[in-house]
Amino acid sequence: MGFAFGQQRGGQLPAERTSFVGRTQEVAAVSEALGRTPLVTLVGPGGVGKSRVALRAADSLRERFPEGVWLTELSALRDGELLPATLAHVLGLPEQPGLTPLDALVGHLRGRQLLIVLDTCEHLIDACGLLCDLLLREAPDVCILATSRQPLDAPGERCIAVGPLPRADALALFEQRALASVPDFTVTDTNREQISALVETLEGIPLALELAAVRLRAVPLDHLTARIEQRFGILTGVRRAVPARHQTLRTAIDWSYELCTERERLLWARLSVFTGAFELVSAEQVCADSSLPIGDVLSVLSCLVDKSVVYREGIDTTRYRMLDTLRSYGAERLAEQEVDGKTHERHFLLYQQMGERLWEQLLTDKQIELHRSFRREITDIRTALQYAFTTPERAAQGLWLAAQLAPYWRATGTQSEGRYWIDQGLQAVPHDCAARAWGLLMAGVLAGWSGDLRNAPQHFAQAWEAAVRCDEQRVQLLAAPNLGTMRVLRGEVEEGLAEWERGYQRLVETDDLLGLSVTRSEGALLKAALGDSAGALAWCQANLERLEDTGERQLYASTLAVQGIILWLEGRVDESVPALRRALEAVSDIGDVLVAALACLGLAWHAASKKRYVQAAWLLGYAQSARKLGSDPIGMLPSLLDHQDAVTAAVRGALGAAEFEHWHRQGAHMSGDEILQAVRADTDKPRRPPADPRLGEDETATDLTPREREVASFVARGLSNREIAAELVISKRTVDTHVEHILAKLRVSSRGDISQSLED
């Protein structure tokens, strides 16, 4: 149950779907290069296997990077401005008030030993190059492994060329894929020459070989070889002077496409509109029409899976994905087939309907699954928004979709991406209309949640004005209390409170549950900040009673967290802790990291009051890494910042600086699910799961070998690796490797932490 708060897939390396053949030199070259330079780029043409090499190399390097290997897949990202936010999201780093995603990234990565894999960079070369340059200057212990069709041209970059497979490996790959396609396939003396000719014709390009191997289901090997040679227009044994590998792959894909039936070609082209994985039901809604009835999509899709054009993401799933090279090819074919963009239109409408469902069912028990759906579909939602903002007749609907997603942007801690899309929509829709009024309102809401109190007031004012001009009553209702709050924060307390009260009363009169719930939750903060704690707590209680039976969890958890913090500051500790625990439990189904952080903040105070200083330290680490109170709206609560500083100082003093930093850093590295489990267990020293998912439940990653314990003892005494090598009469490189393993097994990030971990 629950999410890793703020995370999508968590950056884990995917399981290999097929066997890995060859590439030992390239994998070794990556390992060697990353020992000398922090930025390595695998460069080569499409279809040559750069991603597979990168993933295999990254997997082999896990022990060198105690804080993990993080995969960021960029093929579906089309705007370089979103690159820092995308990487932050993969790392599980929520946005923090007063910090840009890039600033938050830099702060998060400083002093950390981890490997970032940036896969498929060629369409974002400038953005990737600039990001790598900045991160590696500011966070020298981080390494980056990139894949691209061309170098990133970043300082210190080491490029490793990934070319076609050598002949022996190419033969092995074809044989393995052929056997997977036709289980009784065997290599014999009579067909070995045909296979060799085919592999030579396809120039050892893995994707071309895989597309050819799967055709053995339809035709025997001799027919396949003859057709490929005929298609490529060459004779066996006659080679071009210079291998045109792009041309070879293109020709192989052309040939595979032409061997498809008309309906398979049609579906191949139409599926190219999906930039991420897609569900069967989504494919049916987007790709079906009179020429391809909805009832036939599954059978045609199954044929494309059989031909390795599309693959299923797992045995027990109805989610599918297409390789980037094949998707790009399909997009070209779609552009030739459709001048009216009907498939892109249906793709947009699919995600527009998802946005409508989120908005309509936000205050129901369907909220949880809708949030999960948006997390799964975010790459295609971006594509849908991009389509809308470049299609004038859909721009207003795109703006409304971006605004409807405000609860999602908040839950995932990606307010800046939400503001980015809303800004794009506002530029595309400059005229007064309901969508523009909603866009301005939600731009203000997201700015407020981000602590941007400079821009929030003008967004609310513009939303009100636009809503009045186009008679959008509900925006006027929701904007009014926010306008009052902004005036209070500017120091116009009496006037602001009066405006806020008028707005609130109109919400009461219309019984707008969403407006009332948001206004009561955020209004409770305002009341408490102005000294009316009793009124604030009454509002929290009213909100909880109204939301209790709806199944809604995001606002419910937020209200609980606010209630718990106010109770604590009022000295009602016994009442505050249950509220904070309930908030953390409730929000686990949504994954709203800001709420989780607030709940952990209060729980850390409680732990400190009970002299459970280690628990307080890691709870503070998690909370403070996710929510910077200095520029956070929650920081306006009286005495909160002073209390927070006092608790942090007390915990640090009780533990000592070194131990405090150790546990504080461990909390900062924990995911939301790990925090939830540790709070449920009420443990003092949380045991983190293995960094390597291949370790089973019964295996202990922290068990050091006798030699590693010996090396660790020398490290704890302050000896350098060179001095340890001299003491043990072994090479420094061997000691380097032992230390890397020790850091990984103990899950600590620095040599100074090894001594503390051994004592624990």
Side-chain angles (χ1 to χ4, degrees):
M1 170 178 159
F3 295 147
F5 298 109
Q7 295 181 24
Q8 192 169 356
R9 191 170 76 176
Q12 303 102 329
L13 302 183
E16 292 183 338
R17 296 179 297 108
T18 56
S19 57
F20 189 84
V21 178
R23 302 301 195 188
T24 55
Q25 290 183 342
E26 290 91 339
V27 170
V30 170
S31 179
E32 189 275 334
L34 284 173
R36 298 173 179 272
T37 181
L39 174 60
V40 174
T41 303
L42 296 176
V43 180
V48 81
K50 300 183 295 296
S51 296
R52 289 295 301 269
V53 174
L55 295 176
R56 173 54 69 100
D59 187 65
S60 72
L61 293 168
R62 289 180 187 275
E63 289 190 341
R64 190 185 297 183
F65 296 97
E67 292 175 87
V69 177
W70 301 84
L71 171 63
T72 307
E73 298 164 309
L74 300 178
S75 60
L77 186 66
R78 289 291 176 263
D79 197 319
E81 289 190 38
L82 295 176
L83 180 58
T86 300
L87 178 54
H89 192 50
V90 166
L91 291 168
L93 177 65
E95 291 181 15
Q96 300 161 354
L99 291 178
T100 66
L102 183 57
D103 290 337
L105 257 183
V106 169
H108 178 77
L109 291 175
R110 281 197 184 106
R112 302 199 177 196
Q113 291 178 286
L114 53 82
L115 174 64
I116 296 168
V117 181
L118 296 179
D119 189 30
T120 314
C121 299
E122 56 266 11
H123 59 301
L124 300 170
I125 285 292
D126 291 341
C128 289
L130 289 171
L131 180 66
C132 290
D133 180 26
L134 178 63
L135 292 184
L136 297 179
R137 279 191 284 111
E138 298 292 333
D141 293 328
V142 168
C143 287
I144 297 174
L145 174 60
T147 72
S148 177
R149 296 188 185 184
Q150 65 186 87
L152 304 186
D153 289 331
E157 178 184 25
R158 165 81 179 275
C159 290
I160 296 175
V162 180
L165 287 168
R167 185 173 180 277
D169 290 338
L171 286 167
L173 176 66
F174 181 81
E175 290 170 15
Q176 288 190 19
R177 299 300 184 261
L179 184 61
S181 299
V182 184
D184 59 356
F185 177 84
T186 56
V187 180
T188 65
D189 291 339
T190 56
N191 67 15
R192 185 172 283 107
E193 186 176 341
Q194 289 177 324
I195 295 173
S196 180
L198 184 148
V199 166
E200 187 178 358
T201 297
L202 296 177
E203 297 186 340
I205 298 175
L207 179 55
L209 292 168
E210 296 197 12
L211 291 174
V214 79
R215 297 306 304 177
L216 289 173
R217 293 173 182 164
V219 296
L221 178 62
D222 54 346
H223 290 184
L224 176 67
T225 306
R227 290 187 181 195
I228 287 182
E229 290 182 355
Q230 182 181 22
R231 181 74 179 95
F232 278 64
I234 58 175
L235 299 174
T236 303
V238 178
R239 307 303 298 152
R240 290 179 289 272
V242 179
R245 287 168 187 141
H246 288 286
Q247 178 186 339
T248 299
L249 180 61
R250 175 68 186 213
T251 306
I253 298 175
D254 279 338
W255 172 76
S256 186
Y257 180 81
E258 290 166 12
L259 290 175
C260 290
T261 66
E262 183 177 348
R263 295 199 308 171
E264 289 167 1
R265 296 176 196 170
L266 190 63
L267 185 58
W268 181 344
R270 290 179 178 177
L271 288 173
S272 68
V273 300
F274 290 101
T275 45
F278 54 87
E279 298 280 354
L280 170 60
V281 65
S282 299
E284 290 173 334
Q285 292 182 51
V286 170
C287 300
D289 65 1
S290 58
S291 59
L292 181 61
I294 192 169
D296 295 345
V297 170
L298 175 57
S299 61
V300 180
L301 178 60
S302 298
C303 292
L304 291 178
V305 172
D306 288 340
K307 292 177 171 63
S308 295
V309 175
V310 175
Y311 66 87
R312 285 174 64 184
E313 289 210 310
I315 297 175
D316 300 322
T317 181
T318 57
R319 286 183 72 76
Y320 300 83
R321 187 183 291 270
M322 191 182 295
L323 293 177
D324 294 336
T325 304
L326 300 182
R327 182 172 63 240
S328 297
Y329 180 90
E332 291 179 23
R333 292 294 189 173
L334 183 63
E336 296 169 1
Q337 295 170 7
E338 291 186 1
V339 294
D340 55 7
K342 288 296 185 183
T343 304
H344 287 283
E345 178 81 355
R346 290 192 295 267
H347 179 271
F348 169 74
L349 292 175
L350 172 69
Y351 293 101
Q352 181 195 32
Q353 291 162 11
M354 281 184 63
E356 292 290 349
R357 287 199 300 275
L358 178 65
W359 197 245
E360 293 168 0
Q361 300 172 2
L362 188 62
L363 301 184
T364 73
D365 57 3
K366 294 183 175 60
Q367 179 196 63
I368 295 169
E369 183 51 40
L370 285 165
H371 271 279
R372 293 181 188 274
S373 296
F374 277 105
R375 288 172 185 262
R376 288 193 300 265
E377 305 290 341
I378 185 59
T379 56
D380 276 285
I381 290 167
R382 290 171 179 150
T383 300
L385 290 169
Q386 212 160 32
Y387 167 80
F389 298 147
T390 55
T391 306
E393 59 269 25
R394 289 296 184 192
Q397 291 168 295
L399 176 54
W400 174 220
L401 172 59
Q404 286 174 314
L405 289 176
Y408 166 81
W409 306 126
R410 157 67 187 263
T412 53
T414 54
Q415 296 97 308
S416 69
E417 180 172 355
R419 294 175 71 181
Y420 170 82
W421 288 117
I422 289 174
D423 286 346
Q424 294 288 305
L426 292 172
Q427 292 175 29
V429 186
H431 57 280
D432 285 331
C433 60
R436 182 171 177 81
W438 278 105
L440 288 164
L441 176 69
M442 291 307 176
V445 168
L446 291 172
W449 286 338
S450 302
D452 181 5
L453 301 183
R454 182 174 64 86
N455 288 307
Q458 62 185 16
H459 287 316
F460 288 128
Q462 291 169 4
W464 168 271
E465 294 163 1
V468 169
R469 289 193 293 268
C470 67
D471 196 30
E472 178 56 45
Q473 294 289 327
R474 199 169 182 212
V475 170
Q476 294 178 50
L477 282 172
L478 297 174
N482 285 294
L483 286 168
T485 299
M486 294 300 108
R487 294 186 70 177
V488 171
L489 295 178
R490 289 200 303 265
E492 303 170 27
V493 178
E494 292 185 9
E495 300 89 337
L497 282 176
E499 185 171 358
W500 185 91
E501 184 63 35
R502 289 193 297 272
Y504 174 67
Q505 288 304 321
R506 284 197 290 271
L507 286 170
V508 172
E509 292 165 7
T510 58
D511 196 30
D512 188 308
L513 181 56
L514 176 61
L516 284 171
S517 300
V518 172
T519 302
R520 282 176 179 153
S521 178
E522 297 181 354
L525 284 176
L526 189 64
K527 282 181 174 288
L530 296 174
D532 183 9
S533 295
L537 292 172
W539 270 35
C540 287
Q541 190 58 38
N543 225 23
L544 295 174
E545 291 172 0
R546 189 76 184 272
L547 293 171
E548 179 78 45
D549 298 325
T550 65
E552 194 281 338
R553 282 296 172 260
Q554 193 170 13
L555 287 169
Y556 184 77
S558 180
T559 304
L560 278 169
V562 169
Q563 180 189 56
I565 292 294
I566 295 173
L567 285 168
W568 179 275
L569 294 175
E570 287 292 295
R572 297 162 63 178
V573 175
D574 291 342
E575 296 173 72
S576 73
V577 174
L580 294 168
R581 286 181 171 272
R582 286 169 59 204
L584 192 60
E585 289 285 351
V587 82
S588 69
D589 288 326
I590 297 297
D592 191 319
V593 68
L594 295 180
V595 175
L598 188 59
C600 286
L601 192 69
L603 292 173
W605 299 346
H606 180 253
S609 72
K610 299 297 183 181
K611 298 187 177 357
R612 299 179 68 177
Y613 296 117
V614 168
Q615 185 183 82
W618 55 259
L619 282 167
L620 285 172
Y622 176 78
Q624 292 172 349
S625 73
R627 194 158 191 164
K628 304 298 184 186
L629 295 180
S631 53
D632 191 321
I634 194 79
M636 65 185 179
L637 286 175
S639 76
L640 185 145
L641 293 175
D642 290 341
H643 186 72
Q644 172 66 0
D645 289 343
V647 170
T648 302
V651 175
R652 182 187 293 273
L655 292 177
E659 188 174 5
F660 174 82
E661 291 300 332
H662 168 76
W663 291 110
H664 190 274
R665 183 164 50 249
Q666 179 157 329
H669 295 179
M670 292 172 72
S671 72
D673 277 346
E674 291 167 357
I675 285 288
L676 178 65
Q677 295 306 323
V679 169
R680 282 174 175 167
D682 196 26
T683 183
D684 281 324
K685 296 180 179 181
R687 182 172 182 269
R688 300 198 63 190
D692 187 341
R694 293 168 298 186
L695 289 174
E697 291 183 4
D698 297 331
E699 295 179 83
T700 56
T702 53
D703 286 345
L704 302 182
T705 66
R707 174 63 92 180
E708 287 168 349
R709 285 198 165 275
E710 190 175 20
V711 171
S713 68
F714 282 118
V715 172
R717 287 163 47 190
L719 274 68
S720 69
N721 286 8
R722 192 172 300 282
E723 291 169 335
I724 296 171
E727 288 281 344
L728 298 177
V729 195
I730 57 178
S731 72
K732 178 180 176 296
R733 179 179 290 275
T734 300
V735 176
D736 292 341
T737 301
H738 281 314
V739 172
E740 289 171 1
H741 290 180
I742 292 165
L743 290 169
K745 288 184 176 182
L746 297 179
R747 291 181 191 84
V748 296
S749 58
S750 69
R751 298 169 70 89
D753 292 331
I754 291 177
S755 175
Q756 181 63 50
S757 296
L758 292 177
E759 292 173 9
D760 295 338

